[in-house]
Amino acid sequence: MLRQWFDPEKTPTVGRTPDYRFSLANERTFLAWIRTGLALIAGGLACAQFLPPLPITFLREGLAIALLLLGGVVALRAVDHWARTERAMRLGEELPGSKFPAILALVVALGSVLLIITVLINAVRE
């Protein structure tokens, strides 16, 4: 797996070269996931630097760390999916499915719900 990531010169020797439009679409998808990972990392840094202390001890730091970790996981998942998709196209196989977008959406939604609860708790205390 790591070899596919860091040795793209070896990838063309597997199977046939796909239509370049499909390879470029695969790269655009990869870049979209990288942008998502960078946005999560930026959000984590923003939480750590700009959020005031929250009513729950270490919530700000926990949120920042969670966003930073999630951004890193998204970046790693992006390169893995890119490599597996490129290989499948070259071998004429079915494209790999992924549950990751659904998992990411659930994690973000859960984080949102937790923050809504925190905001409501803070509003009641004031």
Side-chain angles (χ1 to χ4, degrees):
M1 176 174 65
L2 288 176
R3 184 173 179 194
Q4 289 177 341
W5 296 3
F6 294 108
D7 198 359
E9 296 302 319
K10 297 292 183 195
T11 303
T13 61
V14 175
R16 298 179 340 195
T17 302
D19 184 330
Y20 71 91
R21 293 172 293 180
F22 298 124
S23 289
L24 293 174
N26 189 28
E27 286 184 21
R28 284 191 300 274
T29 302
F30 165 75
L31 292 173
W33 279 105
I34 290 296
R35 284 191 302 272
T36 301
L38 287 171
L40 289 165
I41 291 169
L45 289 174
C47 286
Q49 292 297 311
F50 302 116
L51 272 183
L54 297 174
I56 299 171
T57 308
F58 298 115
L59 179 61
R60 176 182 64 180
E61 292 79 7
L63 179 62
I65 290 169
L67 288 171
L68 291 167
L69 286 173
L70 191 56
V73 168
V74 166
L76 289 174
R77 182 67 184 105
V79 71
D80 179 60
H81 187 73
W82 170 81
R84 291 184 315 120
T85 300
E86 188 69 21
R87 181 173 176 80
M89 287 190 304
R90 290 181 171 282
L91 295 174
E93 298 173 349
E94 290 287 322
L95 296 180
S98 178
K99 295 177 186 173
F100 188 74
I103 293 169
L104 179 63
L106 289 173
V107 168
V108 170
L110 178 63
S112 175
V113 168
L114 291 174
L115 288 174
I116 289 169
I117 291 169
T118 301
V119 168
L120 292 175
I121 289 171
N122 196 30
V124 169
R125 286 185 181 174
E126 290 180 1

